[in-house]
Every structure is written in structure tokens, then in C-alpha cells.
Amino acid sequence: MHRLDPRVKVVAVVGFVALSTMLTSRTALALAAGFLLVLTAAARLHLRQLVSRLLWLLPFAGIMIFLFPFIIPGEPFWRWEWGILTLTATREGWQHALMLSLRVFAAVLAVNFLMATTGLRRVLEALSFFRVPAVFIQLIEFSIRYIYVVGDELRRMKTARTARGFVPGRHLFHRHTFRTLGQTIAVLFIRSWERGERIYHAMLARGYSGENRKRALPPPGGWDLAWGAFILSVAIGLRLFELGGHIWLLSLK
């Protein structure tokens, strides 16, 4: 899978994500996520890396599961009262939060499979082949490249803050902690902007013109096309199954 043509993988994965997000049943979404987990295992990707990326979903999914049952109207299934305050969770809100979480989970699994088996450079070459605007490709490339530079700057600032004896409060709204973190964010923004200016001028001095150098990619082989068709056929099959495909098969018998 690591040697498959990047253009075929981009089309297959984007198509799979588009079709899986149209699924409306939990069973079909769970099958789509299970298929992506099988692909991840077949590609022999690192489980620790996958888990670390999925952990980024917890705050997003946690907020949805916590808020949606209380803000979406429907049939109540749990109520909590405290004085004049009353919170009512609805069954429709819980189902909506669960469906959205499954869609995000399947999309992250698909993107992780694409990036881990292809690499950023080959994905950008595939996007350039499909005539994606150069500005958009450069925005992705520079964002991923320099996010680690900004992360290193943030770690140095944290070390310097600790060396000066800074001790954070018990919560974010502690006055001294809140003011110190606000100053850190402001200084980090200014330093990132100044470094970006220096890097941009250095690139211009080396002949940077804003255009990507396109590398001619060989045409995809039959094995590449077969794998791409297989991935898309699974998504199409799940969609047809959800639309009543199993009833059509029974009627044909």
C-alpha cells in the first residue's frame, strides 16, 4: 500500500470520506470505520501513532457528546435538577452527537491512512497533478513545516518561564496564570511573525517566485487502479446497503 500511486490514493480516500459522511446509520458508519482499521492494520502502521492522533478527537467528540443532548430538542431520557436549574438530555441529541463523532472518527482514520502510507511530499504532488491552486498547496506545506518551529519556540519560552520561578495556579482563570499565558501567546505571535518575515525574505533572495516545481509522475498501473476501485467500491456498497440494497438482493432471489 505504501507504493500505490498517490493520485489513486487521494481520489480513493477523498471519495471514501465523501461517501461515508453521507451514511445515516450507525451500523454503516461502524462498518466504514472497521474497514479503515483493517486497511491500517494491513499497511502495518504504528498503533501508538494512530492512538496519539485519535486522542486529539477526544476534546471535540467530548464536547459534542456533552452538549448536543442538552441543546437539541426531542424525547427526554435524562433530567437533572438543582434548585431552579434544570438540565434535560434528549435521545435525538445523543444520537446526533454519536453519529457526528463516528463520521469524524472515520474521516480521521482515512486521512491518517493516506498520510502515513503516502507522505506529505507525494500527497502534495498528487494535489498539484489535479491542478489544486498553488497557493493552497504552499499553505499546507508551510503550515505543517513551520508548526514544529513554533512548537520549539513555545517549549523554549516554557523553559525560560520555569527558570524564572513561574508556578501556574490551580485553574486557568487564576489571575497571575491567566496574565502570564496571555503574555506568552502575544510574544509567541510576534516572534512567529518576525521569523516568518525573515524566512520569506531569505526565500526571495534564493530565487523563490511562488511557483511549485511540478515533477512528472508516471501513469498509474493496473494494481494501483484495482486498489483504488476496491476502496471506492466498499464505500459505494455501504451506501447502497443503507439505501436498501439488501432488500434488492432478496427481491432478485
Side-chain angles (χ1 to χ4, degrees):
M1 295 185 186
H2 295 264
R3 297 180 180 178
L4 293 178
D5 189 274
R7 295 163 294 182
V8 175
K9 274 195 285 189
V10 167
V11 172
V13 170
V14 171
F16 190 92
V17 172
L19 289 170
S20 62
T21 53
M22 296 170 64
L23 299 173
T24 56
S25 71
R26 291 194 296 271
T27 303
L29 279 173
L31 289 175
F35 173 71
L36 291 170
L37 287 175
V38 171
L39 283 183
T40 302
R44 298 180 180 180
L45 302 180
H46 295 291
L47 180 61
R48 180 180 299 177
Q49 188 179 28
L50 174 63
V51 173
S52 64
R53 290 177 179 175
L54 291 177
L55 287 177
W56 287 93
L57 286 177
L58 287 180
F60 179 69
I63 290 176
M64 287 192 300
I65 293 175
F66 181 77
L67 289 179
F68 279 15
F70 298 101
I71 62 177
I72 294 180
E75 179 186 357
F77 75 97
W78 183 80
R79 184 186 298 272
W80 180 74
E81 296 181 357
W82 186 57
I84 60 174
L85 180 63
T86 302
L87 292 176
T88 303
T90 62
R91 198 174 303 279
E92 287 77 3
W94 163 252
Q95 293 175 354
H96 186 76
L98 185 59
M99 290 292 296
L100 194 53
S101 300
L102 284 174
R103 289 194 179 104
V104 174
F105 179 65
V108 171
L109 284 177
V111 173
N112 176 74
F113 170 76
L114 173 65
M115 298 304 296
T117 59
T118 309
L120 177 63
R121 172 58 58 186
R122 298 184 69 201
V123 171
L124 295 180
E125 288 177 354
L127 294 179
S128 179
F129 175 83
F130 291 120
R131 299 185 182 279
V132 175
V135 174
F136 183 72
I137 295 176
Q138 292 175 4
L139 184 63
I140 296 175
E141 185 177 8
F142 291 154
S143 298
I144 295 177
R145 179 180 298 177
Y146 291 105
I147 193 171
Y148 296 101
V149 177
V150 175
D152 290 337
E153 185 72 31
L154 185 61
R155 278 191 289 273
R156 286 196 294 271
M157 294 174 67
K158 181 180 179 182
T159 304
R161 197 170 59 227
T162 305
R164 289 194 294 270
F166 171 74
V167 178
R170 293 183 177 180
H171 52 82
L172 180 62
F173 296 102
H174 182 264
R175 182 177 180 181
H176 181 60
T177 302
F178 190 80
R179 184 175 58 185
T180 303
L181 293 180
Q183 292 173 349
T184 300
I185 294 173
V187 173
L188 180 66
F189 175 78
I190 294 174
R191 289 183 179 180
S192 301
W193 180 76
E194 291 177 345
R195 173 167 288 192
E197 286 288 312
R198 291 198 301 270
I199 292 173
Y200 178 68
H201 289 301
M203 291 169 62
L204 291 178
R206 291 178 173 85
Y208 173 74
S209 61
E211 297 181 356
N212 285 331
R213 295 179 180 177
K214 296 182 179 180
R215 186 169 67 92
L217 297 174
W223 182 252
D224 302 321
L225 296 175
W227 264 104
F230 171 67
I231 294 174
L232 283 178
S233 64
V234 172
I236 295 173
L238 289 174
R239 181 62 179 160
L240 292 177
F241 179 80
E242 188 181 65
L243 292 175
H246 60 294
I247 299 178
W248 302 342
L249 293 176
L250 291 176
S251 61
L252 289 177
K253 292 180 179 179

